[in-house]
Amino acid sequence: MLSRWGHDPHALVQVLRETQALTHWLPRALLTHIAQALNLPLAQVEGVATFYRFFHTRPVGRLRVLFSDNITDRLLGSEALLSRLCERLGVAPGQPDVQGRFSVDRCSCTGLCDQGPALLINHHQVITRLDTARVDALAALMLSEVPADQWPADWFHVDNKVLRADVLLSGLSADAPTLPEVLAREPQALIDELARAGLRGRGGAGFPTARKWQACRDADTSTSGPLRCVVCNADEGEPGTFKDRALLSEHADAVFDGMTIAARAIGAQQGWLYLRGEYRYLLPQLQAVLERRRASGLLGANAAGLAGFDFDIRIHLGAGAYVCGEESALIESLEGRRGTPRIRPPFPVERGYLGRPTVVNNVETFCAVAHIARRGGAWWAGIGTASSTGTKIHSVSGDCERPGLYEYPLGTPIAQILADCGAMDAQAVQVGGPSGACVPVSGFHRRIAFDDVPSAGAFMVFNPSRDLFEVARHFARFFAHESCGLCTPCRVGTELVVRRLDKLALVRGAGRGSAFDLQRLHELDALLHSGTHCGLGSSACNPLRDTLAHFGEVYASRTATPQFEPEFDLDAELSAARRVTGRTDAGAHLHTEHKP
């Protein structure tokens, strides 16, 4: 395996992933061998192995089950199903059975919210639409040690339910110009067409795509060499989002067309598709598409018949780290390191993958590029609004009759999406995932657009029976778990938010939540929004801020007093010491210490 990867230290994540697929977990002796073979410090290899959620440095079961733990999976009963499976197997969550046959645990959102509850098997296969009958049957197969590839095929079926298609989900028309015809244009003309379209990145930040490409094309390469890179960010880790899953499954050629157009525009020779680890099951299909494109001359030397245009695309499989959705963290991961966001500037368009100027866009953006290059910037600019052109794909889940994929022109009101998906009694919608916005009923007239309610694609619906405090607490735990730990405000702040919310939820110090705790939450919100290193920390309190603003009563109902109350009764905790010392006098009690 090491030889197949050329003993390349930048392939460390892939080497660890493939090694673990054989050994189930990564003992220190094995990490030491890999470190020596790749000529890397052991500390670096261990640092990478302990950073990604899908790597195990302690024994786990030979068959590993990970329940998707997004809030929509919980609304559908995932926690009860997890407990049921553990009971049938006789194991505790996170602990392998005594024979090391299997282990059951949770992972972040698997991108299957429209057909959950769902789970992952060995970070490879997925099982959708879990219910008690399916869990019982699953337990019986696991106890009998029947291999996963002999389980019922319909368990693994993933259905991309497109319930409203616009230009992207309808696909390219048969009479559209071919990719070689598009690439025959001058590189600058391709960028100018994107500028006319007004295309902005679909990953959430909304940065103008043409400006990013132009900066990469104009970047100084005197110190980095002439090579440039194109990276497709398919690390669709925002809980509640699954649109990229559908685009990669059914429109992969359009995505690869967009990457190839970007390479032609900026002068890149190498392309990467960074595929999130939860979408491992898509890898064979995507590899087959790339092989077909190489065979037809669309990739490789003189790609698309253009002399001197040498461009190919490789796939890098992630290992379960939400922060790798940030473009500089993603590049660190591509280089075989922990996915830690870089200090900027320099920006990736100046110094990205291996120091080369690099363009990073997400799946939906590259798909849009493929359409714009064929139909023109003016056509795209005529869809949506003046400042938010084109369409947006929404991953709709939660309390609605028709979860699935909906594509609308930007500028579409939230109320229309709710009506179309059958969510007539919603009390709130989480737009754009946990890092997005929680919109209450009073905001349903607002529109999905960069200048109103921007969205990375998730659209989670909550009806009046849902406790928005618990929703915010769930998201807070997610961010605390996913913090890369680089900066103190994020590493410590997200954990402090969880502790305050747990206290109000009676997990810690039952009945001791107070208005003082709410004030501290406001202060933590302000700290994280202004003092963290990257977007994860600055957006970690978005659900808290929105639910405090719009659903403050669910927080106030959990406060017993206006003054601070500790999480535990220190005087009661000292009762054992009083018994040992025989003290029964008033002075042995803490509450008497400050009395005059």
Side-chain angles (χ1 to χ4, degrees):
M1 180 190 306
L2 288 165
S3 297
R4 187 161 56 79
W5 285 102
H7 289 78
D8 181 3
H10 302 304
L12 176 58
V13 174
Q14 305 306 293
V15 169
L16 292 177
R17 181 179 60 79
E18 293 190 9
T19 300
Q20 184 178 268
L22 299 173
T23 61
H24 311 300
W25 67 290
L26 300 168
R28 195 160 197 260
L30 189 53
L31 295 178
T32 302
H33 172 72
I34 292 172
Q36 292 171 346
L38 298 182
N39 196 26
L40 290 171
L42 175 60
Q44 180 178 338
V45 175
E46 287 188 320
V48 171
T50 55
F51 180 82
Y52 295 91
R53 185 190 314 111
F54 285 179
F55 291 152
H56 306 292
T57 55
R58 296 178 182 277
V60 292
R62 294 188 293 277
L63 192 147
R64 300 170 297 285
V65 175
L66 294 176
F67 275 75
S68 180
D69 195 30
N70 186 33
I71 187 67
T72 54
D73 291 288
R74 289 202 170 207
L75 297 183
L76 294 168
S78 62
E79 280 295 283
L81 293 172
L82 182 148
S83 298
R84 188 181 184 94
L85 180 60
C86 287
E87 180 183 346
R88 296 290 188 274
L89 298 176
V91 298
Q95 299 296 322
D97 75 313
V98 292
Q99 300 176 52
R101 294 173 296 173
F102 36 68
S103 54
V104 180
D105 210 335
R106 303 174 183 84
C107 67
S108 183
C109 178
T110 55
L112 296 160
C113 310
D114 55 335
Q115 47 209 298
L119 56 76
L120 287 174
I121 299 291
N122 289 343
H123 312 144
H124 190 165
Q125 299 101 331
V126 296
I127 297 181
T128 59
R129 303 176 185 83
L130 293 168
D131 55 21
T132 55
R134 186 162 290 189
V135 164
D136 290 347
L138 173 61
L141 290 170
M142 292 173 66
L143 287 168
S144 302
E145 299 191 57
V146 177
D149 57 7
Q150 296 178 24
W151 296 355
D154 62 308
W155 288 9
F156 306 113
H157 178 69
V158 176
D159 184 15
N160 295 313
K161 289 188 294 184
V162 177
L163 299 175
R164 188 188 191 282
D166 209 294
V167 294
L168 299 184
L169 291 175
S170 295
L172 290 165
S173 61
D175 60 348
T178 65
L179 182 62
E181 290 176 308
V182 171
L183 298 178
R185 302 170 195 162
E186 290 299 317
Q188 187 61 51
L190 296 171
I191 297 178
D192 293 343
E193 201 67 56
L194 286 187
R196 276 189 288 275
L199 177 65
R200 298 170 65 170
R202 266 36 184 174
F207 192 82
T209 305
R211 194 188 305 174
K212 177 182 284 189
W213 289 19
Q214 190 70 61
C216 190
R217 179 173 172 78
D218 296 341
D220 180 8
T221 58
S222 58
T223 58
S224 62
L227 300 180
R228 289 180 169 80
C229 298
V230 173
V231 177
C232 178
N233 182 350
D235 191 55
E236 190 176 43
E238 192 72 40
T241 311
F242 47 86
K243 62 185 178 57
D244 291 353
R245 181 199 78 207
L247 290 174
L248 291 170
S249 300
E250 301 182 9
H251 302 280
D253 274 306
V255 177
F256 292 140
D257 277 5
M259 294 179 67
T260 309
I261 293 166
R264 169 68 170 158
I266 67 170
Q269 298 77 30
Q270 186 173 14
W272 288 100
L273 176 72
Y274 188 103
L275 183 66
R276 69 183 305 223
E278 289 83 347
Y279 290 169
R280 166 67 179 82
Y281 63 96
L282 294 177
L283 184 60
Q285 169 197 337
L286 292 169
Q287 294 283 23
V289 173
L290 289 177
E291 282 300 321
R292 174 168 50 77
R293 291 174 71 89
R294 290 187 189 103
S296 61
L298 296 178
L299 292 174
N302 303 317
L306 282 172
F309 178 46
D310 303 335
F311 178 69
D312 208 336
I313 298 172
R314 298 172 63 182
I315 299 177
H316 174 103
L317 192 60
Y322 168 79
V323 72
C324 288
E326 197 275 344
E327 61 177 1
S328 67
L330 182 151
I331 290 171
E332 287 285 304
S333 182
L334 272 178
E335 294 179 352
R337 289 194 279 267
R338 297 160 62 99
T340 303
R342 294 176 175 174
I343 295 173
R344 297 181 291 182
F347 295 94
V349 291
E350 302 165 304
R351 294 185 63 185
Y353 177 67
L354 300 181
R356 303 164 185 166
T358 300
V359 154
V360 182
N361 284 122
N362 81 341
V363 171
E364 188 177 355
T365 307
F366 281 122
C367 189
V369 166
H371 285 260
I372 292 167
R374 289 172 168 84
R375 304 185 67 172
W379 163 78
W380 182 264
I383 305 171
T385 71
S387 59
S388 299
T389 61
T391 65
K392 186 80 193 75
I393 305 173
H394 305 275
S395 312
V396 177
S397 63
D399 296 316
C400 61
E401 296 174 0
R402 294 176 290 279
L405 295 160
Y406 295 74
E407 183 184 7
Y408 293 93
L410 281 169
T412 299
I414 291 172
Q416 181 177 337
I417 303 175
L418 289 170
D420 291 350
C421 73
M424 305 310 293
D425 64 342
Q427 66 163 327
V429 180
Q430 187 72 30
V431 178
S435 65
C438 182
V439 182
V441 173
S442 60
F444 286 177
H445 64 284
R446 297 178 64 186
R447 299 172 183 273
I448 304 294
F450 291 108
D451 51 359
D452 194 349
V453 182
S455 174
F459 194 92
M460 293 183 279
V461 183
F462 301 104
N463 70 25
S465 72
R466 307 303 184 186
D467 185 342
L468 273 301
F469 170 86
E470 287 298 334
V471 172
R473 191 165 75 94
H474 179 84
F475 290 153
R477 288 201 302 269
F478 166 77
F479 282 115
H481 182 269
E482 295 295 340
S483 172
C484 76
L486 174 67
C487 69
T488 304
C490 179
R491 182 180 65 252
V492 178
T494 52
E495 180 59 30
L496 289 177
V497 169
V498 170
R499 291 179 66 89
R500 293 287 176 191
L501 291 175
D502 281 353
K503 184 180 177 185
L504 289 167
L506 309 184
V507 175
R508 289 188 172 99
R512 294 176 178 272
S514 67
F516 177 89
D517 296 305
L518 293 185
Q519 181 58 38
R520 286 295 175 268
L521 285 172
H522 283 289
E523 294 171 2
L524 287 166
D525 170 45
L527 171 68
L528 267 70
H529 270 92
S530 61
T532 57
H533 173 65
C534 75
L536 185 149
S538 61
S539 60
C541 281
N542 285 355
L544 171 67
R545 174 180 288 189
D546 288 346
T547 51
L548 273 170
H550 302 301
F551 303 95
E553 67 279 4
V554 300
Y555 287 84
S557 66
R558 289 170 164 84
T559 60
T561 67
Q563 294 82 27
F564 169 76
E565 289 284 343
E567 291 179 3
F568 59 93
D569 185 342
L570 182 56
D571 185 66
E573 296 295 324
L574 293 175
S575 60
R578 284 193 291 270
R579 286 196 300 273
V580 170
T581 58
R583 294 281 299 274
T584 57
D585 57 292
H589 291 271
L590 284 178
H591 66 276
T592 65
E593 289 182 351
H594 300 293
K595 287 184 177 180

